Structure formats: structure tokens, C-alpha cells
Amino acid sequence: MTTFKWEQELRQEGQARLQPVPELIRTRQDGVYASLADLPAPGTGTRRRQTRKAIARTAGAAAAAAIIGLMGSAYVSPVMAKSLKAWPVVGSIFEMTGDLGLQTADVRGLAAEPGVKVTHDGITLGIPQVMYDGIRLTLAVQREGRELPGGLSEVSWTGEGENAEPVHPVGSIKDFEMFINGTSLKAMKGEQRPSMVGKPSSDPHSMLFELTSFSHQNAEAWMPDRFSLTAKFTMEGVAEPFVLELPVEKNAARLILPATEERTADGVKLTLEQLKFTPVSTAVMMRIEQTGSSSPLNPANFIQELWDDQGRPVQFVSGLGLYEDDGSNPSELIFDRLKDVPKELTLKTFVPEFQDKEKGNGLFALDSEGNVIKHEIEALRITIPVDYDGLQKLYEGDSLKTP
């Protein structure tokens, strides 16, 4: 069994134009490390993580908005917007994101505040907020101290394409490593290793780091309900790394909706296996299999989107997947919290157009607004009902902490 990295898929399918985007995804040493741009990452290693989220940034999004995914922007209901304004903690990092789930965690007390800090050379790096709902773990990382020339996630580039090299200003994070109960992610097997990505925030002195584990690979064994997390950050211009230790505890209930819906099209079978909901996140477990040797469809190019019953795409967060020995491709797609409780959800599958239509790879074709031109494979569309009462209770319940 081998794993795949979403960013490597996207690198092959048109990611070269992402040079201006300052997001930490530079994978090194078997796909564990990340750098601060959605650019071709050096090295090979196992293949895993986040193709679809980067596609949106390929479509011409500004660097300051690089965190926004292809699946659409986050929606904030009037009730939630009112709650956010009334919340006494003004200016928290989660509150300032475009992620409705993190905003919900901030407002409803699902985000812990460990307050751990380390200071080197007059620069203090701390973790003011942590959210772990069993689907994704999000760390808010904040820099304080002396005046510095650039932002925490800032990076520029020299060279082009595969030869591009990052240039970090003093005070920016240029590398990081995570440990779960003392075990480095680098020491975990490729198919078991959680995925970690860094994201810029609206505050130049802050970043978000998101860790997700793959449910198909016994995620609970690597990211249990409670564990000790050690985060090690390397900062440009500071010799000693910043090492922060903190306890992590799952702090959200969840609703699981089994599904066995299947669709086929041109020698490809798509199976929707499960939906998971928390007050913060939505997870979709699915599997793609090629049933014919001469299929005109290449699943590596597929773009999956989740839509609610009002015709709105749900904001994409991240994705993980495997290439198994039998040729099947189990995947887990992580989306934001839904804006409203729907009666049904729809999983749509698209294929993008490429600028070089003969080769069928390389740079994506864009429309006049800078969006990727894509076409839905309607035969693979899956619409399933949702446990409306159960999800509404989950979203609105007074006690959301898992016993």
C-alpha cells in the first residue's frame, strides 16, 4: 500500500502558478515537512494531502486570501454573526478566520486556551488557542516581541517551477515538526501518518496549523481522544527552535451517518461510505475504483465538492487518501461546518480543463474571473438524506463535550 500527497497531485496537474501564495506546505523527508507556499515541494516520498484545497488558490486568489478553498467561502448565519459580535474575547485568531467551524469553536467554548509560550532572541512564540473535534486538530500560533520585517508566514521565491527556492524574512516560520505522545510524525508509517498543513491568517503575526488523521487507517491509534502534543518550530534568524508542549483533548460530540451509495461512469466506480459531523467539521469518507482498463477518466484529476440542499458548496478544509495495492483509492475529505442544517447533501465530482488539452495535464484552464474551468461527471453525483434532527441537536446542543 502506498499513500499520496494531495499537493504532489496538484503539482503534476497545474500547481506551478501558485508561487505567490504564502502557505506552509513544503514537504520534505518523506512528506512530513512543509514550507510556506503552495509551490512544487522538493523531494518525492509518499503521496498524500490536499490537492483540492490548493486548486482554488490556483484560480487566481490573492495571497492574503490563500486559506480559502475551492469549495466556496465560509457562510456565517445571522445568529452566529450576532453571537460572534457579542463574544467577549475580541480579536481571537479563530474568530478572525473565514472558517465557520473555528468561529463556532471560539464562540461556544470548544477551543482550549493552553497559553504556552517560548522566547528566544527577544521573540516570543505561543499557542493561544487549540481546537480538536476528533476530525481535525487546529493550532493558532502567534508571534510577539521585537519588531520584525515580515509576517510569520511570509515567504518570497527565487527561480521558477521545480527550481523555485523559498526566501524567508527574519522572524518567519520556515520549518516545523510535530510529536504525538513523544513520537515524531516523521517516524510514523506513510499510510498512518497524520497530515499537517500551515495556513496564513489575517493577522501577519499569526498562523494556523491543522493536523488531520485518516479514518481508514485507525486514526484513533495515532490521534486518540487525549494526547500530548509537542510542536517544534524553526524560525528564520533564530538559531534555537521554539518547542512548545501542550495537552490535547477531544472536545466535541459527533454524529456518524453510514452510507453505501455507489455510482459508476466510464469504468470508474465511486462509493460514498460515511459522513461524520461535529459542531466544527464535516468529513466525507469515499472510495474510487477503476473497473475498466480503458476508462477515459483519470481519478487523479477528480475534484470533489460537497453541496447543501440550498445549492451552496461547503468550504473545503483538507483531504487525505491512499492508493491501495488493489488499485482502489479510499479518501477522506474534510469540510467546514455547514451553514444551516440540511435535509440532504450532495457529493459532486468534476474534472478540470487543462490549458494543454492534448496532453491533459499541466496548467489548469481558467475562466475570465480566474476560476478553474471544470465539468461535472453527473453520473457520479450522489445525493443522500441527512439525519436532520440529529444534526440540529448536535449543532445547537447545550452540552457538546464528548463524555
Side-chain angles (χ1 to χ4, degrees):
M1 180 186 298
T2 59
T3 58
F4 63 85
K5 291 193 293 290
W6 298 115
E7 65 264 32
Q8 286 189 348
E9 285 294 338
L10 192 46
R11 190 183 319 144
Q12 297 166 4
E13 307 298 343
Q15 194 174 353
R17 64 175 153 263
L18 290 179
Q19 291 176 346
V21 180
E23 179 168 334
L24 195 77
I25 58 120
R26 175 193 179 192
T27 303
R28 292 188 185 275
Q29 295 185 1
D30 201 27
V32 177
Y33 290 99
S35 81
L36 298 173
D38 270 326
L39 259 176
T44 54
T46 57
R47 304 179 62 196
R48 190 177 183 178
R49 294 206 286 271
Q50 92 183 72
T51 295
R52 297 164 178 84
K53 180 172 58 175
I55 291 174
R57 294 187 293 276
T58 306
I67 195 173
I68 303 301
L70 173 64
M71 308 311 165
S73 59
Y75 301 94
V76 180
S77 67
V79 173
M80 180 57 67
K82 182 178 180 181
S83 298
L84 286 170
K85 291 179 181 178
W87 191 246
V89 180
V90 178
S92 75
I93 298 173
F94 285 174
E95 180 184 347
M96 294 186 293
T97 68
D99 189 310
L100 180 58
L102 294 181
Q103 293 173 341
T104 301
D106 186 43
V107 169
R108 299 179 68 173
L110 300 179
E113 299 179 0
V116 293
K117 296 182 179 182
V118 174
T119 301
H120 297 309
D121 296 348
I123 301 173
T124 298
L125 200 66
I127 301 178
Q129 287 183 295
V130 176
M131 188 288 302
Y132 179 43
D133 66 348
I135 293 178
R136 54 172 165 157
L137 164 64
T138 306
L139 306 176
V141 178
Q142 191 169 47
R143 184 186 68 187
E144 301 173 337
R146 74 180 207 230
E147 186 174 345
L148 294 164
L152 188 60
S153 63
E154 188 170 334
V155 64
S156 59
W157 294 85
T158 61
E160 296 181 357
E162 294 287 347
N163 297 319
E165 291 292 335
V167 178
H168 301 275
V170 173
S172 67
I173 293 178
K174 62 180 182 180
D175 214 345
F176 70 92
E177 184 176 0
M178 299 288 168
F179 301 79
I180 294 178
N181 289 333
T183 300
S184 171
L185 299 190
K186 292 188 297 182
M188 298 180 183
K189 295 180 180 179
E191 68 270 16
Q192 297 170 330
R193 183 174 55 240
S195 168
M196 173 64 81
V197 63
K199 304 176 182 180
S201 76
S202 57
D203 173 15
H205 303 290
S206 303
M207 287 186 68
L208 297 175
F209 287 84
E210 206 142 56
L211 179 65
T212 55
S213 194
F214 196 23
S215 296
H216 284 89
Q217 294 297 310
N218 190 20
E220 290 78 9
W222 297 99
M223 291 179 64
D225 290 353
R226 298 177 181 84
F227 59 89
S228 174
L229 178 71
T230 302
K232 180 180 178 181
F233 300 99
T234 303
M235 185 176 289
E236 181 67 33
V238 181
E240 190 171 356
F242 294 79
V243 180
L244 301 101
E245 299 181 5
L246 62 152
V248 173
E249 181 176 357
K250 185 170 71 174
N251 197 26
R254 67 179 179 179
L255 173 67
I256 297 178
L257 177 63
T260 55
E261 292 287 328
E262 295 182 354
R263 299 290 186 272
T264 58
D266 293 328
V268 173
K269 181 171 73 172
L270 171 65
T271 304
L272 178 61
E273 297 180 335
Q274 187 183 86
L275 295 176
K276 288 194 296 187
F277 304 91
T278 75
V280 178
S281 310
T282 307
V284 176
M285 268 68 75
M286 64 178 212
R287 183 180 295 269
I288 298 175
E289 302 170 75
Q290 288 189 293
T291 59
S293 58
S294 60
S295 173
L297 299 175
N298 182 3
N301 295 336
F302 285 178
I303 300 170
Q304 261 87 26
E305 298 181 2
L306 186 67
W307 291 62
D308 67 14
D309 56 2
Q310 297 186 45
R312 299 173 301 194
V314 185
Q315 177 169 302
F316 187 79
V317 174
S318 65
L320 303 94
L322 299 172
Y323 284 133
E324 292 191 325
D325 294 338
D326 61 3
S328 65
N329 170 209
S331 302
E332 182 166 353
L333 309 179
I334 311 300
F335 297 88
D336 197 358
R337 169 194 168 105
L338 303 171
K339 177 185 177 182
D340 303 300
V341 177
K343 293 184 179 179
E344 62 182 23
L345 289 170
T346 299
L347 180 67
K348 299 182 180 182
T349 300
F350 299 83
V351 290
E353 284 190 14
F354 296 93
Q355 293 182 13
D356 189 333
K357 294 184 178 181
E358 292 186 2
K359 289 184 177 180
N361 57 36
L363 298 178
F364 291 115
L366 307 179
D367 62 21
S368 59
E369 297 182 353
N371 300 311
V372 175
I373 299 174
K374 60 185 187 295
H375 305 280
E376 184 185 0
I377 307 173
E378 294 188 7
L380 296 182
R381 181 186 296 186
I382 299 177
T383 298
I384 60 171
V386 173
D387 180 357
Y388 183 89
D389 292 337
L391 186 55
Q392 186 173 48
K393 182 178 179 181
L394 179 76
Y395 275 13
E396 299 179 356
D398 293 331
S399 177
L400 297 176
K401 185 172 181 180
T402 303

